[in-house]
Every structure is written in C-alpha cells, then in structure tokens.
C-alpha cells in the first residue's frame, strides 16, 4: 500500500452520512448481523447493514433504527417511572447511557510543508513523495479536492505546548461532497474529525459522536462529549462537572 500512488478515494472529504453508514456496516459485519438497509446520501445511496430479528437484547430487536444519527440533542436511555423513586430513596446516579462501538479517523497522504505568500507547498506520499505548489482555486492533482484558501496564523495548542507559534494553513474543499477542511503544517492531514459510533443499550439505537456535542439521558442528565479517542470517549456530566471515560467495547461488547 505504501508503494502505491494514492487513489482518488484516499484524497477525499466524505460526507458525515457516508462515514456513519460505513461505520454501521463495519460494526454489523463484525457482529455477524445480517440484512441491509439503504440510507440516502446526497445523490447516492449508501448501504448500511441492519440487524436480524434473531439477536438477543436491544441489538436483536426488530424495527430498531440501525442507521446512526448525530448524538447532538438526542435523549438516550429509558425514562424513569412517572412516580419517581420511593420516598426516602436517594436518587440514582445519572450515568451516561452509552456504549462505544467503533472509532474512526482517516488520514490523508498529504502534508502541508510550508506556505510562502499566497502559495502552499504540499508533500503527497506514494511510491515516491512528491511536492506540489498550489494557490487558492487550484485543484490538487489526482483528486476531487481543490484549494479554498492559503494562509498563516498564530496558534497555541497541545502540539505547541501552549506556546504561540506560527503555522501554515490551507483550507481544502471536495467538489463531490461539498465538504471543506483545514490542513495545518506539523500535523497529520485528515479527511474528518475523530468520530465515535455510540449505542444506546436500552434501545439499540446508534449515534455518531464528535467532541463538543451534547446529549441528554432520560433520567435528566446532560452530558458533553469532551474527547474522542481510538480506545475511549471522554464525557463530562454538565451538572456535576464529573468527567467519565467510556472504553471502546466493540461490536459485541
């Protein structure tokens, strides 16, 4: 793979719906779930696996929506009884009602080498690493990507140890999907933000989650997705400010 020239599909910015459908299909395939459901994605149709009716628990329920949706604003979990807990019983701890099933972050074989004036120099990896110079409006050869703008800015982050540092930045767009993204010098170029596939264990519904999104539980809790990592997600309880780590459990959990 390293010795091959990058294919156009590797130099692309996917739509969130495409990523979601591919994650659903990967989890269902790993879990041995049969059947298919079709989710429209723009002008195309992406096929995502749906559960069979022979499974156990929520994952085996028929009629469950296995096409994941963004978790922002969703309410997860089974609602408590209308009369609440018995008198004198302390309220139960509000736990995030989620299971982490999958993680995805896709690197692009392009590195921002430097920006000089209105020109950016990109390194494209393949059989041989090649450098190309591009300006705003230029296409990136071998792809549907084009350069939206080129620039430099001061930035502080974990990468710069909290110190202000000038970085080269280009914004690219994908003509097929309409998605745009920034690539920054000194960092891996990616086609989308880190994203997790979460499942509500009480209903079997799946949700995609990115840092900064919020959701609620049926028992009144409100949670913030603080971070998404390859093996875990970090969730903050907005009422108590308690931070919890939810490990990746995989398709079968």
């Amino acid at each position: 793979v390293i010795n091959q020239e990058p294919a156009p599909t590797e130099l692309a910015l996917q739509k969130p719906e495409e990523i979601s459908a591919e994650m659903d299909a990967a989890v269902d395939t790993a879990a041995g779930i049969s059947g298919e459901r079709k989710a429209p994605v723009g002008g195309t149709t992406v096929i995502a696996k749906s559960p069979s009716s022979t499974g156990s628990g929520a994952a085996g329920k028929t009629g469950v929506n296995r096409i994941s949706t963004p978790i922002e604003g969703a309410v997860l979990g089974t609602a408590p009884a209308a009369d609440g807990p018995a008198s004198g019983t302390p309220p139960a701890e509000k736990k995030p009602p989620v299971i982490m099933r999958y993680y995805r972050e896709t690197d692009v074989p392009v590195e921002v080498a430097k920006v000089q004036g209105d020109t950016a120099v990109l390194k494209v990896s393949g059989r041989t690493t090649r450098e190309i110079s591009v300006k705003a409006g230029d296409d990136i050869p071998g792809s549907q990507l084009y350069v939206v703008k080129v620039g430099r800015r001061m930035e502080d982050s974990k990468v710069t140890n909290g110190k202000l540092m000038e970085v080269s930045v280009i914004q690219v767009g994908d003509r097929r999907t309409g998605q745009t993204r920034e690539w920054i010098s000194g960092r891996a170029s990616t086609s989308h933000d880190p994203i997790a596939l979460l499942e509500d264990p009480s209903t079997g519904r799946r949700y995609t989650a990115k840092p900064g999104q919020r959701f609620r539980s049926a028992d009144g809790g409100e949670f913030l997705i603080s971070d998404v990592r390859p093996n875990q997600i970090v969730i903050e309880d907005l009422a108590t400010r308690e931070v919890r780590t939810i490990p990746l459990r995989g398709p079968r959990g």
Side-chain angles (χ1 to χ4, degrees):
V1 172
I2 292 174
N3 285 331
Q4 295 175 350
E5 291 300 319
T9 52
E10 296 177 80
L11 296 169
L13 306 180
Q14 287 183 291
K15 292 182 179 180
E17 297 91 339
E18 292 176 322
I19 298 169
S20 172
E22 289 178 5
M23 293 173 74
D24 283 325
V27 168
D28 284 341
T29 297
I33 296 173
S34 62
E36 291 182 343
R37 291 184 62 182
K38 295 183 179 180
V41 179
T44 63
T45 298
V46 176
I47 297 176
K49 301 276 186 170
S50 65
S52 65
S53 59
T54 58
S56 60
K61 293 178 181 179
T62 57
V64 172
N65 173 22
R66 305 298 290 203
I67 305 300
S68 53
T69 55
I71 200 168
E72 178 68 37
V75 178
L76 281 66
T78 303
D83 54 359
S87 177
T89 302
E93 181 184 12
K94 294 179 174 60
K95 298 181 178 180
V98 292
I99 298 171
M100 184 179 178
R101 293 299 190 194
Y102 205 76
Y103 170 89
R104 177 166 165 176
E105 183 176 11
T106 307
D107 289 341
V108 178
V110 177
E111 176 188 346
V112 180
K114 60 185 177 181
V115 167
Q116 294 178 320
D118 61 352
T119 301
V121 177
L122 306 179
K123 290 184 179 179
V124 182
S125 301
R127 184 174 301 142
T128 58
T129 299
R130 55 194 173 94
E131 290 190 352
I132 60 173
S133 296
V134 291
K135 297 182 179 181
D138 288 350
D139 292 331
I140 296 178
S143 73
Q144 291 291 312
L145 301 179
Y146 66 98
V147 179
V148 178
K149 61 182 178 181
V150 172
R152 300 178 67 84
R153 69 169 179 245
M154 302 300 293
E155 186 175 274
D156 64 331
S157 67
K158 294 185 295 184
V159 177
T160 61
N161 294 320
K163 298 179 180 178
L164 281 173
M165 182 177 293
E166 190 176 43
V167 295
S168 301
V169 182
I170 74 165
Q171 185 180 35
V172 296
D174 191 312
R175 298 189 189 283
R176 182 184 69 86
T177 63
Q179 302 294 303
T180 60
R181 186 157 188 83
E182 281 190 343
W183 293 342
I184 301 173
S185 60
R187 303 184 196 176
S189 300
T190 58
S191 64
H192 58 83
D193 291 331
I195 187 169
L197 186 67
L198 306 182
E199 182 180 309
D200 181 344
S202 65
T203 64
R205 288 183 179 272
R206 292 181 186 151
Y207 301 88
T208 54
K210 296 189 294 185
Q213 292 183 318
R214 301 185 181 205
F215 70 96
R216 304 185 67 87
S217 59
D219 60 5
E222 185 175 7
F223 303 93
L224 170 71
I225 307 290
S226 296
D227 199 6
V228 174
R229 303 168 182 169
N231 62 343
Q232 60 190 209
I233 60 169
V234 180
I235 294 177
E236 180 183 352
D237 185 321
L238 294 178
T240 64
R241 296 301 176 183
E242 180 182 359
V243 175
R244 307 176 191 182
T245 299
I246 309 295
L248 173 68
R249 286 175 52 179
R252 292 187 178 277

